[in-house]
Amino acid sequence: MPSFSLLTAAIAASMISGSSASIQNPEIMPTPPMGFNDWSRLECAINQSVFTDTADAMVSKGLLAAGYNRVNIDDCWMADTRTEEGKLTWNETLFPKGLPWLGQYLKEKGFHFGIYEDAGNETCGGYPGSYGYEEVDAQTFASWGIDYLKVDGCHVTPTTEVEYHKRYAAWHDAFSKMEDPLIFSQSAPAYFSLWLTGSDNLTDWYTVMDWVPYNGELARHSADVLVYVGVEGLSGWDSVMQNYNYNTQLARYQRPGYFNDPDFLIVDNLELTLTEKKSHFALWASFSAPLIISAWIPDLPEDVISYLKNSDLIKVDQDPLAQQATLVSRDDSFDVLTRSLANGDRLVTVLNRGNDTASTTVSALRLGLQATESIYSAKDLWTGEAINFKGELKINKLASHATAVYRISLSGLQSLTVFPTGMIFNAASTNCLTAGARNQEVKFTTCAGTDDQVWQIRPLTGTISPLSARNLCLTAEGGRTVLKECRLIDFAQDWEYSVRGYLTNKWTHECITEDSGSSSSKCLYEVDSQVWSLPAGVKVHW
Ligand SMILES: *[C@@H]1O[C@H](CO)[C@@H](O)[C@H](O)[C@H]1NC(C)=O
Ligand SMILES: *[C@@H]1O[C@H](CO)[C@@H](O)[C@H](O)[C@H]1NC(C)=O
Ligand SMILES: *[C@@H]1O[C@H](CO)[C@@H](O)[C@H](O)[C@H]1NC(C)=O
Ligand SMILES: *[C@@H]1O[C@H](CO)[C@@H](O)[C@H](O)[C@H]1NC(C)=O
Ligand SMILES: *[C@@H]1O[C@H](CO)[C@@H](O)[C@H](O)[C@H]1NC(C)=O
């Protein structure tokens, strides 16, 4: 009975692949991980007591109780060679009691245990890689009490997207055969980012991003954050801003079960001021990014411990909706970001990128709130202070590099509509989609925070209007995207956003294109000019 066995095989295959496919099985990691990793602080200078002392300090300083429940080892933990049976083993000088012992130690304290390997023949530090040993190594890690694996991408040859896909899929397959698959942190996209390739052709980066959400639970999409000893020519703040910027380009991929990872919180890095560290934390929490501390925790001062334990911001980070805050606007000084939370509340995060203390206002409309006459109540998530505002939220005297965060309660308001609102921008060019006048073609210009660059996306009709003229809608005309009077039902004004970043018109099936010749053209495969970052909450077609 061939059909029967085929069917059985198909069901078995779907069950197997379902068991560890992140976004198809979000229970593996519904909210982003929190914890510790040694890399940015110590690089290869690790040993057993680093991890036991860190775990002890995380308990005594209240970090475990605040949710930081993972202790992850990065590179350089291994012996030079595999055992005679082909298994990985630890450096016995560094870990005299062994990793299973350490796993047990961590478990008894209430931590999960994580580790590092590499998809190639060697790790970045030159230790045995996992190429061809994925299944064996996954079993070994599980037997040591490990439930989280970061897989780096050094020494993968050839360095093509196809080869990385094969290597990372091998891990996915190994995990899919396990009853309790490990959480899989994938460094593959970083190897195709502008940071590493220096190429402004982002097609391969986007292609890798397209598969990581099906393959594992998180992905390191770009640069390593600054290590403690520093890097010539890169300031601490520039490093944080670099990773922050990459993350803003990728919000469409994030959903429960899969998280974009802009790398560690470097909370004792001497290059950052306390204000900058707090911004780093608030921005990562607004993104629902992993909160993994890389610092010498036993010596962290109380002011740092205190902001790391901010329960309002941790609640935002761990919100079950897992929405990533996106840019409403960006001008010379301020970035404004917003997102929704699972209970319907709205978050607003304002970063002063400028060099001077400054004030700004953000209108309710810019936050996606349509009831402009309502009085909104909000909580300052730094001070806990409750405030009310009508029409616009005022941010007074925000210090250089500081971040303000407010949670706006919408529970008391009747029949409230929230429209995804914000910038539509191109990651490759960094330009903003900019409205022209009525009947004129759109433009692609430097983001400046003006109302002709803040777009309102209406979920029911699929129409898109700039705040500068909400009666005008983006309209496709073969080869052009223009602004016209909004009409009731017109497919030429109906747009669909896909996880690949395309903004496609329902009538012409063309994609919005940043090109000197035409603002709309046939959709091509992941070309820079057709990949757009849109506001959080827009329906993403997968
Ligand atoms: C373990 O590593 C830490 C950090 O590098 C170092 O300060 C300490 O001396 C090491 N301990 C041992 C026993 O080697
Ligand atoms: C193991 O650690 C010791 C102590 O740091 C070091 O001297 C030795 O080279 C390490 N072995 C390997 C294989 O890295
Ligand atoms: C990695 O190992 C595989 C299998 O042994 C081998 O085919 C390949 O050439 C190696 N690659 C490098 C860069 O050493
Ligand atoms: C960009 O990269 C992709 C994938 O490597 C390649 O197919 C395409 O030809 C490149 N585009 C340009 C304009 O070089
Ligand atoms: C802030 O100061 C830095 C360093 O002096 C400078 O490079 C940067 O352009 C300034 N930024 C703004 C927005 O003025």
Side-chain angles (χ1 to χ4, degrees):
M1 294 210 290
S3 60
F4 175 76
S5 58
L6 271 179
L7 185 64
T8 318
I11 291 169
S14 73
M15 283 168 66
I16 285 167
S17 67
S19 72
S20 107
S22 54
I23 58 171
Q24 288 150 354
N25 189 4
E27 307 86 77
I28 296 177
M29 202 182 67
T31 62
M34 295 173 66
F36 166 80
N37 177 297
D38 56 273
W39 183 257
S40 300
R41 183 62 175 79
L42 296 166
E43 298 182 68
C44 286
I46 54 168
N47 54 47
Q48 182 175 293
S49 57
V50 163
F51 298 95
T52 53
D53 290 356
T54 293
D56 294 352
M58 288 170 83
V59 173
S60 66
K61 289 173 183 284
L63 289 171
L64 173 65
Y68 298 88
N69 64 359
R70 296 187 177 277
V71 172
N72 295 347
I73 305 184
D74 212 281
D75 203 354
C76 305
W77 58 268
M78 272 180 244
D80 262 345
T81 52
R82 289 177 178 269
T83 64
E84 277 171 14
E85 302 87 63
K87 291 189 177 165
L88 290 170
T89 189
W90 53 90
N91 177 326
E92 287 180 0
T93 314
L94 299 178
F95 296 96
K97 293 190 179 170
L99 292 192
W101 176 87
L102 182 57
Q104 191 58 31
Y105 184 91
L106 295 172
K107 191 174 169 195
E108 279 165 15
K109 301 242 159 196
F111 292 98
H112 295 268
F113 186 18
I115 206 160
Y116 168 104
E117 243 295 3
D118 191 278
N121 287 349
E122 271 180 33
T123 70
C124 299
Y127 296 91
S130 279
Y131 182 103
Y133 290 92
E134 292 83 0
E135 252 181 66
V136 175
D137 292 352
Q139 295 297 344
T140 302
F141 293 145
S143 76
W144 296 349
I146 285 165
D147 68 2
Y148 179 113
L149 177 67
K150 169 180 169 183
V151 176
D152 214 335
C154 280
H155 306 293
V156 171
T157 46
T159 54
T160 58
E161 180 277 316
V162 170
E163 185 61 23
Y164 273 80
H165 196 175
K166 264 193 229 156
R167 303 268 48 90
Y168 280 78
W171 280 106
H172 173 82
D173 293 345
F175 294 144
S176 298
K177 290 178 186 154
M178 300 169 79
E179 204 167 315
D180 286 317
L182 276 66
I183 288 170
F184 185 20
S185 162
Q186 310 158 89
S187 298
Y191 288 82
F192 297 90
S193 68
L194 176 64
W195 170 64
L196 222 134
T197 64
S199 161
D200 57 11
N201 177 347
L202 302 183
T203 297
D204 286 335
W205 190 48
Y206 295 138
T207 306
V208 178
M209 284 304 305
D210 292 341
W211 52 255
V212 286
Y214 293 99
N215 208 58
E217 285 67 43
L218 60 161
R220 277 287 319 286
H221 48 66
S222 58
D224 280 3
V225 75
L226 188 66
V227 288
Y228 188 76
V229 296
V231 169
E232 185 80 25
L234 183 69
S235 79
W237 182 245
D238 288 348
S239 167
V240 170
M241 285 293 94
Q242 171 172 261
N243 287 26
Y244 160 82
N245 277 320
Y246 281 118
N247 215 60
T248 62
Q249 300 169 357
L250 303 171
R252 61 185 173 280
Y253 293 104
Q254 185 163 299
R255 55 192 278 188
Y258 168 78
F259 295 87
N260 291 322
D261 184 1
D263 212 7
F264 308 128
L265 299 171
I266 45 174
V267 307
D268 64 355
N269 195 296
L270 302 173
E271 287 251 356
L272 294 173
T273 65
L274 181 62
T275 297
E276 291 171 339
K277 291 173 194 173
K278 289 173 73 177
S279 274
H280 188 182
F281 177 70
L283 294 167
W284 266 228
S286 301
F287 286 146
S288 277
L291 297 178
I292 299 184
I293 301 164
S294 197
W296 183 241
I297 292 180
D299 287 348
L300 286 182
E302 188 46 40
D303 52 6
V304 169
I305 293 292
S306 155
Y307 81 73
L308 286 173
K309 293 199 296 197
N310 181 315
S311 58
D312 283 327
L313 284 167
I314 289 173
K315 246 183 244 152
V316 166
D317 183 75
Q318 297 292 308
D319 185 81
L321 201 56
Q323 229 177 58
Q324 183 181 311
T326 51
L327 285 161
V328 174
S329 62
R330 160 169 283 179
D331 61 24
D332 282 347
S333 302
F334 289 106
D335 276 9
V336 177
L337 302 101
T338 191
R339 64 178 275 197
S340 287
L341 296 148
N343 72 344
D345 284 2
R346 204 68 179 151
L347 188 81
V348 54
T349 303
V350 180
L351 162 68
N352 181 356
R353 291 181 3 265
N355 293 333
D356 303 301
T357 296
S359 301
T360 189
T361 59
V362 186
S363 69
L365 267 185
R366 283 193 170 208
L367 297 175
L369 309 174
Q370 306 310 304
T372 52
E373 292 307 306
S374 292
I375 294 176
Y376 291 100
S377 56
K379 183 177 184 185
D380 179 331
L381 299 191
W382 282 125
T383 64
E385 190 194 354
I387 57 151
N388 291 323
F389 72 95
K390 186 180 167 187
E392 59 185 23
L393 176 67
K394 293 187 173 58
I395 312 287
N396 288 323
K397 296 197 179 128
L398 190 61
S400 165
H401 299 177
T403 297
V405 202
Y406 291 88
R407 181 170 181 144
I408 304 167
S409 168
L410 300 188
S411 51
L413 298 166
Q414 300 279 311
S415 65
L416 192 98
T417 317
V418 175
F419 287 151
T421 303
M423 284 163 44
I424 296 180
F425 70 102
N426 184 294
S429 73
T430 72
N431 281 331
C432 268
L433 179 71
T434 309
R438 183 187 305 257
N439 297 326
Q440 304 250 303
E441 197 164 359
V442 293
K443 293 168 289 189
F444 306 97
T445 57
T446 305
C447 303
T450 48
D451 268 355
D452 56 1
Q453 293 180 335
V454 182
W455 300 87
Q456 186 177 79
I457 292 125
R458 305 184 188 105
L460 282 180
T461 54
T463 58
I464 304 179
S465 299
L467 290 193
S468 56
R470 280 182 293 144
N471 57 326
L472 303 182
C473 279
L474 275 185
T475 309
E477 286 184 339
R480 285 159 37 100
T481 308
V482 298
L483 270 194
K484 292 204 157 173
E485 207 71 40
C486 298
R487 290 182 293 260
L488 204 50
I489 295 173
D490 184 348
F491 280 158
Q493 295 184 336
D494 192 348
W495 300 86
E496 192 171 279
Y497 187 48
S498 83
V499 75
R500 294 199 191 278
Y502 310 141
L503 201 45
T504 311
N505 186 262
K506 288 260 186 72
W507 180 248
T508 63
H509 303 292
E510 289 186 342
C511 278
I512 292 189
T513 308
E514 180 178 355
D515 186 291
S516 52
S518 72
S519 53
S520 166
S521 58
K522 185 165 174 287
C523 305
L524 301 172
Y525 179 75
E526 295 289 36
V527 294
D528 286 359
S529 60
Q530 291 182 338
V531 176
W532 300 96
S533 300
L534 262 68
V538 169
K539 183 170 171 50
V540 177
H541 291 263
W542 283 74

